[in-house]
Amino acid sequence: MAATTLTFMVPKRQILTKDDLEKFRESDAYNDYVGFTERLNNSVKGLSLSTECFISPTLSKMLELLDKANTYCEEIPPVQNEKSRFGNPAFKVFYSRIANNAEELHEIFSLPPEAVKEVSRYFMESWGDQKRIDYGTGHEANFIAWLLCFEKLGLIGPDDYTSIVLRVFQKYIDVMRNLQFKYWLEPAGAHGGWGLDDYHFLPFMFGSAQLIGHKYIKPKSIHDKDVVDEFSKEYMYLACIKFINSVYTKQT
């Protein structure tokens, strides 16, 4: 869709009730979001993270932006926080830096000026909740919405899908893991048996697509520490298992 046919607005939370959720599930926005996610998923079937893929100028700038966010994290150390095991207050400083610079950071892209506030808001909301110092799948969803904005604006397309997952999304996960460890972000609405990871969902979806047709790695392989350690750098699913094992080891 050409950018000239689009209208823009600053996103705000509108799914507050079950009825709101049902309304969203019947909307074009829902179909666009789910369809985009499914296309990304299909693009990485059977592919490892080391698969060579083309990085367009737009994706290169996305990676640059994610590196900038990680730099912010490295520059802002956690503070003494004896009151709680979760939720280091230094995260609020990190979030403020992202929020205060979000629009300026997006100047590296060729965005229509009227789109900057909307696109940058999705990016800002991808890092967690400043007040609660938590992070969950809703924030992850904002990151996918951010990526979808670029497709709507005609800046990325099908040729970029594999690179988006294996490079851009993976970089986002790397930065988020850094934040989760450094500031001990509270899991936002952990659902126990509904998900293995208290923070993320999509690495399991994309990661399972990566493992389709693998000769040796099977579902039961997640219980084999040697397999997890050896292949966690190549497959998102196993990287998540390794992260979970490390977190629970540290907590016990």
Side-chain angles (χ1 to χ4, degrees), residues 8 15 28 56 71 76 86 98 112 135 137-138 144 166 175 198 202 235-236 243-244 246:
F8 305 96
I15 304 176
D28 291 339
S56 69
T71 298
I76 302 169
F86 281 111
I98 289 285
Y135 176 92
T137 53
I144 298 299
L166 300 183
V175 179
D198 286 339
L202 286 175
Y235 298 99
M236 291 184 189
F243 174 82
I244 292 164
S246 69

Side-chain angles (χ1 to χ4, degrees), residues 43-182:
S43 75
V44 295
K45 288 181 177 179
L47 301 181
S48 67
L49 288 172
S50 61
T51 299
E52 291 189 12
C53 44
F54 172 71
I55 304 296
S56 69
T58 296
L59 298 193
S60 180
K61 292 173 183 177
M62 287 180 174
L63 292 169
E64 180 183 337
L65 195 55
L66 293 171
D67 281 333
K68 190 69 173 180
N70 198 53
T71 298
Y72 289 168
C73 177
E74 295 299 328
E75 292 175 348
I76 302 169
V79 298
Q80 290 293 328
N81 186 36
E82 298 176 355
K83 294 182 179 180
S84 175
R85 179 166 60 90
F86 281 111
N88 193 282
F91 174 73
K92 295 184 178 181
V93 180
F94 166 84
Y95 190 94
S96 290
R97 188 174 294 186
I98 289 285
N100 292 338
N101 293 283
E103 292 185 26
E104 181 179 348
L105 290 171
H106 281 72
E107 290 178 358
I108 62 175
F109 301 106
S110 301
L111 301 179
E114 62 272 23
V116 172
K117 287 186 180 296
E118 178 173 351
V119 177
S120 63
R121 176 60 64 89
Y122 284 119
F123 182 78
M124 186 176 77
E125 297 290 344
S126 298
W127 303 103
D129 187 278
Q130 184 179 33
K131 292 182 179 179
R132 297 192 303 267
I133 316 182
D134 68 8
Y135 176 92
T137 53
H139 302 107
E140 180 185 76
N142 271 278
F143 187 75
I144 298 299
W146 180 69
L147 294 171
L148 178 56
C149 287
F150 284 86
E151 180 166 75
K152 289 287 189 180
L153 291 166
L155 297 174
I156 60 174
D159 290 343
D160 297 305
Y161 289 165
T162 300
S163 300
I164 288 171
V165 178
L166 300 183
R167 297 295 183 271
V168 178
F169 183 77
Q170 179 59 38
K171 170 69 76 171
Y172 167 69
I173 293 297
D174 289 342
V175 179
M176 278 313 314
R177 293 306 195 196
N178 196 10
L179 292 170
Q180 289 154 13
F181 267 128
K182 189 165 189 175

